[in-house]
Amino acid sequence: MSVQERKQRERADRERLIVATARELAEQQGWDAVTTRRLAERIQYSQPVLYSHFRGKREIIGAVALEGAAEMASAVRAAASAADGPRTRVTALARTYLEFAERNPAVYDAMFQLDGGLAFAHEDTPEPLRDAFAALLESLGEVAGDGVHPGLFTEVFWAALHGLATLTRAGRLPPEETGRRVELLVDRLAVV
């Protein structure tokens, strides 16, 4: 391995450590607790080292969001591929999405609530975000119904899931009814 390759590997390792530490701290104490000073202390690097990877907290949030989008896409695809038939695929997708949001609240916030400097629904949208949407579209497109644009249907279904995740987490909807809400969503929106 060349010196250049070793330096690149070490840089990538440091970057993963910064993102993992930010994510862990945010999940434990919330995003307000994530500061470059605190991150530098936790990973035992100086703040200038952090700034050589990320210009600030906003970019760190963006990196966590991209990592989360990739994880969510993988989870949704795995759940959908394990299900048999359109209805069970869509139900599995919805449950997996909501479970992801519940298990990873800080990551979910980084993806959809906080400013991570990422463009959504735009030509320069980063690939992990595009892929997360594609993971939803793969199953939802088949149940959009005649004359309904699959992408538009996916946006509406995703918005409903996001609303359920956000309202449940905020204590506005009782969590014990989540299963019934998913069934209602699938029954009323999806053509299965």
Side-chain angles (χ1 to χ4, degrees), residues 38-56:
R38 190 176 257 171
L39 285 173
E41 289 171 2
R42 282 211 173 187
I43 64 172
Q44 299 179 350
Y45 283 104
S46 67
Q47 283 182 288
V49 170
L50 259 69
Y51 285 116
S52 74
H53 291 273
F54 300 99
R55 285 182 283 202

mmCIF file of all heavy atoms in Angstrom, residues 38-56:
data_model
loop_
_atom_site.group_PDB
_atom_site.id
_atom_site.type_symbol
_atom_site.label_atom_id
_atom_site.label_comp_id
_atom_site.label_asym_id
_atom_site.label_seq_id
_atom_site.Cartn_x
_atom_site.Cartn_y
_atom_site.Cartn_z
ATOM 1 N N ARG A 38 -17.277 19.219 21.369
ATOM 2 C CA ARG A 38 -17.601 17.962 22.030
ATOM 3 C C ARG A 38 -17.171 16.764 21.180
ATOM 4 O O ARG A 38 -16.653 15.773 21.696
ATOM 5 C CB ARG A 38 -19.092 17.899 22.328
ATOM 6 C CG ARG A 38 -19.451 16.742 23.232
ATOM 7 C CD ARG A 38 -20.886 16.782 23.575
ATOM 8 N NE ARG A 38 -20.997 17.284 24.932
ATOM 9 C CZ ARG A 38 -22.121 17.612 25.517
ATOM 10 N NH1 ARG A 38 -23.243 17.531 24.848
ATOM 11 N NH2 ARG A 38 -22.145 18.018 26.753
ATOM 12 N N LEU A 39 -17.387 16.846 19.874
ATOM 13 C CA LEU A 39 -16.945 15.767 18.986
ATOM 14 C C LEU A 39 -15.429 15.610 19.036
ATOM 15 O O LEU A 39 -14.920 14.489 19.101
ATOM 16 C CB LEU A 39 -17.389 16.031 17.547
ATOM 17 C CG LEU A 39 -18.857 15.802 17.241
ATOM 18 C CD1 LEU A 39 -19.175 16.261 15.820
ATOM 19 C CD2 LEU A 39 -19.238 14.355 17.430
ATOM 20 N N ALA A 40 -14.722 16.718 19.000
ATOM 21 C CA ALA A 40 -13.256 16.668 19.040
ATOM 22 C C ALA A 40 -12.784 15.987 20.328
ATOM 23 O O ALA A 40 -11.863 15.161 20.305
ATOM 24 C CB ALA A 40 -12.671 18.073 18.928
ATOM 25 N N GLU A 41 -13.416 16.318 21.437
ATOM 26 C CA GLU A 41 -13.055 15.691 22.710
ATOM 27 C C GLU A 41 -13.327 14.182 22.676
ATOM 28 O O GLU A 41 -12.500 13.392 23.122
ATOM 29 C CB GLU A 41 -13.851 16.320 23.859
ATOM 30 C CG GLU A 41 -13.429 17.722 24.200
ATOM 31 C CD GLU A 41 -14.381 18.404 25.186
ATOM 32 O OE1 GLU A 41 -15.370 17.763 25.649
ATOM 33 O OE2 GLU A 41 -14.144 19.582 25.490
ATOM 34 N N ARG A 42 -14.481 13.807 22.148
ATOM 35 C CA ARG A 42 -14.858 12.389 22.144
ATOM 36 C C ARG A 42 -13.982 11.534 21.245
ATOM 37 O O ARG A 42 -13.704 10.386 21.556
ATOM 38 C CB ARG A 42 -16.319 12.232 21.716
ATOM 39 C CG ARG A 42 -17.269 12.565 22.838
ATOM 40 C CD ARG A 42 -18.507 11.752 22.697
ATOM 41 N NE ARG A 42 -19.336 11.972 23.865
ATOM 42 C CZ ARG A 42 -20.427 11.310 24.104
ATOM 43 N NH1 ARG A 42 -20.831 10.397 23.264
ATOM 44 N NH2 ARG A 42 -21.130 11.553 25.178
ATOM 45 N N ILE A 43 -13.594 12.071 20.102
ATOM 46 C CA ILE A 43 -12.792 11.259 19.182
ATOM 47 C C ILE A 43 -11.298 11.491 19.371
ATOM 48 O O ILE A 43 -10.485 10.855 18.725
ATOM 49 C CB ILE A 43 -13.184 11.486 17.706
ATOM 50 C CG1 ILE A 43 -12.896 12.915 17.272
ATOM 51 C CG2 ILE A 43 -14.631 11.113 17.463
ATOM 52 C CD1 ILE A 43 -13.071 13.150 15.786
ATOM 53 N N GLN A 44 -10.973 12.420 20.249
ATOM 54 C CA GLN A 44 -9.583 12.727 20.609
ATOM 55 C C GLN A 44 -8.769 13.227 19.411
ATOM 56 O O GLN A 44 -7.633 12.822 19.187
ATOM 57 C CB GLN A 44 -8.922 11.531 21.281
ATOM 58 C CG GLN A 44 -9.627 11.155 22.557
ATOM 59 C CD GLN A 44 -9.015 9.957 23.247
ATOM 60 O OE1 GLN A 44 -8.164 9.256 22.717
ATOM 61 N NE2 GLN A 44 -9.456 9.731 24.482
ATOM 62 N N TYR A 45 -9.391 14.116 18.669
ATOM 63 C CA TYR A 45 -8.721 14.872 17.608
ATOM 64 C C TYR A 45 -9.005 16.345 17.872
ATOM 65 O O TYR A 45 -9.980 16.687 18.541
ATOM 66 C CB TYR A 45 -9.258 14.503 16.222
ATOM 67 C CG TYR A 45 -8.743 13.196 15.680
ATOM 68 C CD1 TYR A 45 -9.538 12.059 15.670
ATOM 69 C CD2 TYR A 45 -7.460 13.096 15.156
ATOM 70 C CE1 TYR A 45 -9.074 10.856 15.171
ATOM 71 C CE2 TYR A 45 -6.981 11.891 14.652
ATOM 72 C CZ TYR A 45 -7.787 10.783 14.657
ATOM 73 O OH TYR A 45 -7.314 9.604 14.162
ATOM 74 N N SER A 46 -8.211 17.202 17.320
ATOM 75 C CA SER A 46 -8.432 18.634 17.497
ATOM 76 C C SER A 46 -9.591 19.104 16.621
ATOM 77 O O SER A 46 -9.952 18.454 15.634
ATOM 78 C CB SER A 46 -7.167 19.416 17.134
ATOM 79 O OG SER A 46 -6.916 19.298 15.746
ATOM 80 N N GLN A 47 -10.142 20.257 16.970
ATOM 81 C CA GLN A 47 -11.213 20.823 16.155
ATOM 82 C C GLN A 47 -10.743 21.103 14.720
ATOM 83 O O GLN A 47 -11.509 20.866 13.785
ATOM 84 C CB GLN A 47 -11.777 22.087 16.807
ATOM 85 C CG GLN A 47 -12.705 21.756 17.968
ATOM 86 C CD GLN A 47 -13.301 22.995 18.574
ATOM 87 O OE1 GLN A 47 -12.609 23.759 19.244
ATOM 88 N NE2 GLN A 47 -14.577 23.203 18.324
ATOM 89 N N PRO A 48 -9.513 21.589 14.518
ATOM 90 C CA PRO A 48 -9.069 21.779 13.129
ATOM 91 C C PRO A 48 -9.099 20.487 12.312
ATOM 92 O O PRO A 48 -9.367 20.520 11.106
ATOM 93 C CB PRO A 48 -7.637 22.324 13.282
ATOM 94 C CG PRO A 48 -7.661 23.043 14.584
ATOM 95 C CD PRO A 48 -8.563 22.210 15.456
ATOM 96 N N VAL A 49 -8.856 19.341 12.947
ATOM 97 C CA VAL A 49 -8.949 18.065 12.219
ATOM 98 C C VAL A 49 -10.399 17.839 11.785
ATOM 99 O O VAL A 49 -10.656 17.433 10.642
ATOM 100 C CB VAL A 49 -8.421 16.885 13.069
ATOM 101 C CG1 VAL A 49 -8.757 15.552 12.415
ATOM 102 C CG2 VAL A 49 -6.927 17.013 13.283
ATOM 103 N N LEU A 50 -11.354 18.106 12.673
ATOM 104 C CA LEU A 50 -12.769 17.977 12.307
ATOM 105 C C LEU A 50 -13.097 18.895 11.132
ATOM 106 O O LEU A 50 -13.770 18.483 10.180
ATOM 107 C CB LEU A 50 -13.668 18.333 13.493
ATOM 108 C CG LEU A 50 -14.270 17.184 14.265
ATOM 109 C CD1 LEU A 50 -13.236 16.421 15.038
ATOM 110 C CD2 LEU A 50 -15.362 17.687 15.153
ATOM 111 N N TYR A 51 -12.613 20.131 11.206
ATOM 112 C CA TYR A 51 -12.895 21.093 10.140
ATOM 113 C C TYR A 51 -12.187 20.734 8.840
ATOM 114 O O TYR A 51 -12.573 21.218 7.782
ATOM 115 C CB TYR A 51 -12.539 22.508 10.580
ATOM 116 C CG TYR A 51 -13.542 23.085 11.558
ATOM 117 C CD1 TYR A 51 -13.179 23.401 12.856
ATOM 118 C CD2 TYR A 51 -14.861 23.294 11.172
ATOM 119 C CE1 TYR A 51 -14.090 23.912 13.760
ATOM 120 C CE2 TYR A 51 -15.790 23.810 12.066
ATOM 121 C CZ TYR A 51 -15.405 24.119 13.354
ATOM 122 O OH TYR A 51 -16.318 24.624 14.227
ATOM 123 N N SER A 52 -11.193 19.882 8.893
ATOM 124 C CA SER A 52 -10.565 19.442 7.643
ATOM 125 C C SER A 52 -11.441 18.405 6.931
ATOM 126 O O SER A 52 -11.240 18.137 5.746
ATOM 127 C CB SER A 52 -9.167 18.869 7.911
ATOM 128 O OG SER A 52 -9.242 17.589 8.502
ATOM 129 N N HIS A 53 -12.416 17.853 7.652
ATOM 130 C CA HIS A 53 -13.355 16.891 7.070
ATOM 131 C C HIS A 53 -14.717 17.528 6.783
ATOM 132 O O HIS A 53 -15.334 17.232 5.771
ATOM 133 C CB HIS A 53 -13.565 15.701 8.010
ATOM 134 C CG HIS A 53 -12.362 14.823 8.130
ATOM 135 N ND1 HIS A 53 -12.123 13.794 7.258
ATOM 136 C CD2 HIS A 53 -11.330 14.833 9.007
ATOM 137 C CE1 HIS A 53 -10.994 13.194 7.594
ATOM 138 N NE2 HIS A 53 -10.494 13.800 8.654
ATOM 139 N N PHE A 54 -15.183 18.328 7.708
ATOM 140 C CA PHE A 54 -16.503 18.952 7.614
ATOM 141 C C PHE A 54 -16.380 20.427 7.971
ATOM 142 O O PHE A 54 -15.700 20.779 8.935
ATOM 143 C CB PHE A 54 -17.487 18.283 8.589
ATOM 144 C CG PHE A 54 -17.694 16.823 8.338
ATOM 145 C CD1 PHE A 54 -17.015 15.869 9.093
ATOM 146 C CD2 PHE A 54 -18.553 16.386 7.348
ATOM 147 C CE1 PHE A 54 -17.199 14.518 8.863
ATOM 148 C CE2 PHE A 54 -18.739 15.028 7.110
ATOM 149 C CZ PHE A 54 -18.065 14.094 7.870
ATOM 150 N N ARG A 55 -17.098 21.280 7.238
ATOM 151 C CA ARG A 55 -17.026 22.720 7.515
ATOM 152 C C ARG A 55 -17.771 23.104 8.782
ATOM 153 O O ARG A 55 -17.625 24.210 9.262
ATOM 154 C CB ARG A 55 -17.551 23.515 6.335
ATOM 155 C CG ARG A 55 -16.565 23.540 5.183
ATOM 156 C CD ARG A 55 -17.087 24.365 4.065
ATOM 157 N NE ARG A 55 -18.093 23.562 3.384
ATOM 158 C CZ ARG A 55 -18.481 23.751 2.145
ATOM 159 N NH1 ARG A 55 -17.996 24.743 1.454
ATOM 160 N NH2 ARG A 55 -19.376 22.961 1.599
ATOM 161 N N GLY A 56 -18.559 22.207 9.304
ATOM 162 C CA GLY A 56 -19.294 22.504 10.523
ATOM 163 C C GLY A 56 -20.382 21.476 10.772
ATOM 164 O O GLY A 56 -20.485 20.451 10.081
#
